[in-house]
Amino acid sequence: MSNAPMRIVSLLPSTTEIVCALGLEDALVGITHECDFPPSVVDKPRLTSSRISHETMTSREIDHAVRTNLDGHGSIYDLDENRLRELKPDLILTQELCEVCAVSYKTVERAARMFAADVQVVSLEPNTIGDIFENIRLVGKLTGRKSEADRLVGELNRRLDRVKESTAQVDHRPRTLMLEWLEPAFAPGHWVPEQVELAGGDHGFGRAGQRSVTTTAKEITAYAPEVIVLIPCGYYKEDVLRQLPGANLPKGWNDLPAVKAGEVWATDATSYFSRPGPRVVEGVEILARILHPEIFGPPESSHAVRVASDLMESMKS
């Protein structure tokens, strides 16, 4: 058996974060174009690129481009197969769950099989916070870092327990709308409703453990959210604030209780809500500050900011 260090390729920003959290950054030989945390990974070889741009396209344009590509059985991502071959990885971490989130699993598997029969391609499929923690343990097992993974999951659970204990007896759980896309509006799924519940909010809008889905102005109005947190998938809060003036928000938006009360927030969705990695726990802690500042204190401006009313316009027709 070879004693050479393991060579890992991560084709998900979340698995890049997991690998580094387990102390394996030096073993990481290839990443995606979106991997940016921890900051020390940014100079590693990038193996993917995207055909759409959050910087130059509107929320609606991105949605149209994604649907057009996927409906035509294409992909919005490209994989540099030659570079992947040159890197000679032992382990490739990817996913099958969402073709909007990463390069196609079939593309990765085909490319891997073309150059090495013994390379291990592992697909991680988290739908809940518990699944995310199990993924951390699996990566630990695959890389010989089981004890480190157990310690990390233990600490993450302790942090969640501290928040949960503090919110267990709150008198009021605000109706909380986590908007996963601006135009069209998407209701949250996967682990996000869990994050809301742990943070002391009402998590009735959305489907825990399932895919996020489009929602309607009628559904949003009926829910009458008291707090709205904007978490468009893949966006940083600066992206959210830049996109808002040009977005047609659902009809009746300005009449929602949260909008009237100035309780609309922009956050780093990419960092704390979109990626199924260790920082979803920090997302819970940020939400707890938004929902219950009387217990936790207000959120830091680097984590979440109130959205000025003049940035938001509802659909007029």
Side-chain angles (χ1 to χ4, degrees):
M1 178 179 289
S2 171
N3 291 320
M6 175 172 274
R7 297 176 63 80
I8 303 170
V9 160
S10 168
L11 295 179
L12 290 168
S14 56
T15 53
T16 295
E17 295 192 23
I18 291 170
V19 166
C20 293
L22 297 178
L24 290 165
E25 186 174 333
D26 288 345
L28 196 60
V29 297
I31 58 175
T32 79
H33 65 286
E34 294 179 314
C35 293
D36 57 7
F37 190 89
S40 49
V41 303
V42 297
D43 292 327
K44 289 184 179 289
R46 296 179 181 270
L47 301 174
T48 65
S49 58
S50 176
R51 299 175 189 175
I52 62 176
S53 170
H54 285 104
E55 289 75 27
T56 62
M57 300 170 71
T58 67
S59 183
R60 177 167 288 280
E61 287 170 343
I62 291 172
D63 179 75
H64 176 73
V66 168
R67 292 176 190 271
T68 300
N69 275 279
L70 298 186
D71 288 347
H73 306 292
S75 173
I76 61 173
Y77 297 104
D78 292 312
L79 174 67
D80 188 338
E81 298 184 19
N82 290 331
R83 193 85 183 271
L84 180 64
R85 184 180 301 110
E86 292 168 359
L87 291 171
K88 297 182 174 60
D90 306 299
L91 174 65
I92 300 174
L93 298 172
T94 185
Q95 60 93 51
E96 294 174 83
L97 183 67
C98 175
E99 290 188 329
V100 181
C101 300
V103 66
S104 162
Y105 174 78
K106 291 180 180 178
T107 299
V108 175
E109 189 175 45
R110 184 186 68 246
R113 298 300 172 222
M114 284 176 64
F115 68 85
D118 57 349
V119 64
Q120 191 171 14
V121 181
V122 176
S123 176
L124 304 179
E125 306 299 325
N127 286 296
T128 66
I129 292 176
D131 291 344
I132 295 170
F133 291 173
E134 285 306 307
N135 283 351
I136 293 172
R137 288 194 170 99
L138 175 58
V139 174
K141 180 180 178 182
L142 293 168
T143 58
R145 295 293 176 108
K146 182 179 182 302
S147 60
E148 289 86 349
D150 288 340
R151 281 197 296 272
L152 175 58
V153 171
E155 175 55 28
L156 293 173
N157 270 315
R158 283 188 289 274
R159 287 168 60 184
L160 289 180
D161 287 342
R162 285 195 288 270
V163 175
K164 192 174 181 179
E165 288 166 8
S166 297
T167 60
Q169 303 301 323
V170 293
D171 295 329
H172 178 61
R173 289 179 171 263
R175 294 185 302 277
T176 305
L177 170 62
M178 307 291 289
L179 210 57
E180 287 205 9
W181 199 247
L182 300 179
E183 189 183 2
F186 265 72
H190 299 118
W191 47 86
V192 174
E194 287 183 275
Q195 290 179 295
V196 174
E197 182 180 20
L198 287 163
D202 174 83
H203 63 295
F205 200 92
R207 306 186 304 171
Q210 301 181 52
R211 289 186 178 219
S212 58
V213 295
T214 53
T215 186
T216 64
K218 184 178 180 180
E219 289 172 337
I220 292 173
T221 298
Y223 183 61
E226 297 167 281
V227 178
I228 297 173
V229 185
L230 305 176
I231 56 165
C233 185
Y235 278 30
Y236 295 96
K237 68 178 185 299
E238 293 79 12
D239 298 319
V240 178
L241 297 174
R242 185 180 66 250
Q243 289 274 3
L244 271 173
N248 282 317
L249 297 171
K251 185 177 180 180
W253 180 268
N254 293 330
D255 295 324
L256 296 174
V259 179
K260 287 185 171 182
E263 288 293 338
V264 181
W265 296 80
T267 69
D268 278 350
T270 293
S271 302
Y272 309 114
F273 300 100
S274 304
R275 294 181 184 176
R279 289 193 293 168
V280 295
V281 171
E282 196 165 352
V284 172
E285 295 165 341
I286 292 167
L287 268 183
R289 288 178 173 268
I290 291 173
L291 299 176
H292 294 286
E294 75 282 1
I295 298 174
F296 301 97
E300 297 178 15
S301 60
S302 58
H303 291 153
V305 293
R306 289 183 194 271
V307 177
S309 59
D310 61 358
L311 289 180
M312 298 179 286
E313 288 290 338
S314 65
M315 191 174 289
K316 299 299 189 300
S317 58

